[in-house]
Amino acid sequence: MTKVLTFASTKGGTGKSTLCVNLAAFFAQCGKRVTVLDVDPQKSSYDWIKESSDELLSLISAVHLTEERQIESVIADTDSDIVCIDLQGSLNNSPLFALAIADIILVPCRPSRDDIIGLGWILKLHEMAAEKFPTSEAKVIAILNAVNARSVIYSHTKAQIKADNITLISNPVTQTVAFAEANINRVSVFDSNGKAKNIMHNVGSELSEHLFQ
Ligand SMILES: Nc1ncnc2c1ncn2[C@@H]1O[C@H](COP(=O)(O)OP(=O)(O)O)[C@@H](O)[C@H]1O
Ligand SMILES: [Mg+2]
């Protein structure tokens, strides 16, 4: 049974594509067959994988779709264990099907008030998706990205997400230049030796428990 992990936020720049490509690399490293479905016109994750000569990223099938309604047939035809859907950050183009078909909707949030508000919008879209597609079993999980773990705004954002009873990935993803460098060099952070690799390993393991157990 193919699992679907949809990366969503109503804002751009929260880390959807960064986490999508690096977590796809994590699943590939675990021996899973992985497809990245990029539904963002900017096609950042599609280009990242297609332009890569990295061994791990070459294991991932990358597909770019111009319309959300094409997702269903790609998922129906795939033999992948997991499909990672990378969405554009916008409220105008409500991606209800991509949310409904997910096992997990992963919402990257930077530590900011705007990101908490954006998370609220995704919860509303999740409700609308469940109404339109009543068989949906999608679950929303937030992940804090690009954080400085000692900052007050990080503690505040984390407390707010917990107070709202939203499941939060226990490890935050810190602000680490290795993520930006991996993008520029068209590799994943598993190509490096620093803390970004450990963070992605921990986040990937936590998501695997939700998805595969
Ligand atoms: N944890 C992080 N540490 C440092 N830079 C990051 C981190 N996460 C994302 N970035 C950088 O932030 C920018 C936006 O990230 P991106 O994944 O493209 O966001 P989105 O897909 O949500 O628009 C990129 O330049 C990326 O390299
Ligand atoms: Mg993106």
Side-chain angles (χ1 to χ4, degrees):
M1 184 71 182
T2 303
K3 300 292 179 180
V4 179
L5 177 59
T6 297
F7 294 75
S9 66
T10 54
K11 282 179 69 195
T14 57
K16 292 177 293 300
S17 301
T18 302
L19 297 177
C20 178
V21 171
N22 284 294
L23 287 169
F26 169 81
F27 293 120
Q29 198 176 46
C30 294
K32 305 280 185 209
R33 290 165 298 183
V34 187
T35 295
V36 165
L37 256 187
D38 192 344
V39 196
D40 186 343
Q42 277 193 28
K43 60 189 182 84
S44 324
S45 51
Y46 174 84
D47 286 345
W48 186 342
I49 293 164
K50 284 290 181 192
E51 290 167 9
S52 174
S53 47
D54 181 64
E55 210 174 309
L56 194 51
L57 295 190
S58 72
L59 298 173
I60 301 168
S61 328
V63 180
H64 180 244
L65 298 181
T66 49
E67 292 181 47
E68 198 206 2
R69 62 186 167 82
Q70 299 168 310
I71 293 174
E72 189 168 17
S73 62
V74 175
I75 291 180
D77 291 344
T78 188
D79 62 355
S80 288
D81 300 305
I82 178 158
V83 174
C84 299
I85 303 180
D86 188 11
L87 296 175
Q88 76 183 112
S90 148
L91 254 179
N92 298 335
N93 181 15
S94 300
L96 294 189
F97 183 75
L99 298 181
I101 202 170
D103 291 279
I104 291 176
I105 300 164
L106 191 65
V107 189
C109 297
R110 288 186 178 244
S112 82
R113 188 174 182 277
D114 284 356
D115 284 65
I116 293 287
I117 293 168
L119 180 55
W121 280 111
I122 293 291
L123 293 173
K124 283 206 177 70
L125 291 175
H126 173 236
E127 269 174 32
M128 287 163 65
E131 266 170 38
K132 190 168 175 191
F133 304 97
T135 56
S136 170
E137 293 184 0
K139 187 175 176 216
V140 172
I141 299 183
I143 180 166
L144 281 161
N145 184 35
V147 309
N148 171 350
R150 283 173 302 209
S151 67
V152 173
I153 182 69
Y154 161 61
S155 312
H156 181 80
T157 311
K158 185 173 160 182
Q160 185 65 54
I161 292 172
K162 290 200 165 164
D164 291 343
N165 275 328
I166 299 161
T167 307
L168 179 66
I169 292 287
S170 51
N171 289 287
V173 181
T174 48
Q175 170 84 35
T176 309
V177 73
F179 285 104
E181 283 173 356
N183 182 334
I184 286 169
N185 297 327
R186 315 267 94 169
V187 296
S188 77
V189 291
F190 294 98
D191 199 51
S192 66
N193 264 323
K195 83 183 165 185
K197 178 178 170 175
N198 295 336
I199 294 169
M200 277 301 98
H201 181 87
N202 292 339
V203 171
S205 303
E206 195 170 336
L207 281 170
S208 291
E209 280 175 26
H210 286 284
L211 286 165
F212 297 109
Q213 277 162 27

